[in-house]
Amino acid sequence: MMQEYEITELIPQRTPIIMVDRLWEVTDNEAVTCFTIIADNIFLDNNGTLKESGIIENIAQSASAMYGYEHQCHGGMKAPVGYIGEIRNFTCNRCPSIGEKLITTIARGIEIGGVTEVTGIVSVENEIIAQTRLKIFMKK
């Protein structure tokens, strides 16, 4: 069974930029997070819709939560810091609104020279709303 942590123990981001509420599941190379959009989110447009940059940040922080969880499980004390090196094949079918809950699935790909490729898929209920591949550099 997966041990639960406060999300701020797993990711380096702090309010107001936190874009993940909870890490639900971690397996060997995958993780699932959730995030409910609230009215004071800094990535909202004037209509209360999450901008595409907020979706990308949610995917990146979901990957960060996976790395942070693994780091904690191996005795690490502080969440590791990662940087987005590249965003590839980003598609967004629609941008979600206040009150909607994002379910983000991260799949880790290959790692070369400290850079890992991850695929992120964001859903609201059973509808895939966005997906992308990121290259992330994890600072050690």
Side-chain angles (χ1 to χ4, degrees):
M1 180 167 181
M2 192 174 110
Q3 180 177 344
E4 275 200 40
Y5 291 90
E6 287 293 321
I7 199 64
T8 56
E9 294 178 63
L10 303 178
I11 63 174
Q13 292 81 4
R14 296 294 177 257
T15 302
I17 201 167
I18 293 176
M19 295 295 292
V20 175
D21 293 330
R22 185 169 175 223
L23 178 64
W24 267 352
E25 180 181 2
V26 176
T27 59
D28 288 338
N29 288 310
E30 290 190 357
V32 179
T33 66
C34 66
F35 179 68
T36 301
I37 302 166
I38 58 174
D40 67 351
N41 188 292
I42 64 170
F43 289 100
L44 292 178
D45 66 15
N46 292 335
N47 297 319
T49 303
L50 189 66
K51 298 175 190 172
E52 291 178 346
S53 57
I55 294 170
I56 292 168
E57 185 63 27
N58 167 262
I59 294 168
Q61 287 187 30
S62 294
S64 182
M66 177 174 66
Y67 286 113
Y69 178 78
E70 292 168 346
H71 186 71
Q72 292 277 350
C73 288
H74 292 96
M77 299 302 283
K78 189 175 178 186
V81 176
Y83 302 94
I84 299 171
E86 180 179 49
I87 301 167
R88 291 188 14 207
N89 303 325
F90 177 72
T91 57
C92 183
N93 301 324
R94 74 171 181 91
C95 291
S97 300
I98 294 169
E100 289 191 288
K101 182 186 226 176
L102 307 182
I103 305 299
T104 303
T105 303
I106 297 296
R108 180 177 26 225
I110 61 170
E111 179 186 339
I112 299 173
V115 177
T116 304
E117 184 174 85
V118 299
T119 300
I121 299 173
V122 182
S123 300
V124 173
E125 296 184 17
N126 291 323
E127 172 194 9
I128 293 175
I129 63 162
Q131 54 191 338
T132 194
R133 290 186 358 203
L134 302 176
K135 287 189 179 176
I136 298 175
F137 172 76
M138 294 304 294
K139 186 176 176 183
K140 304 209 178 192

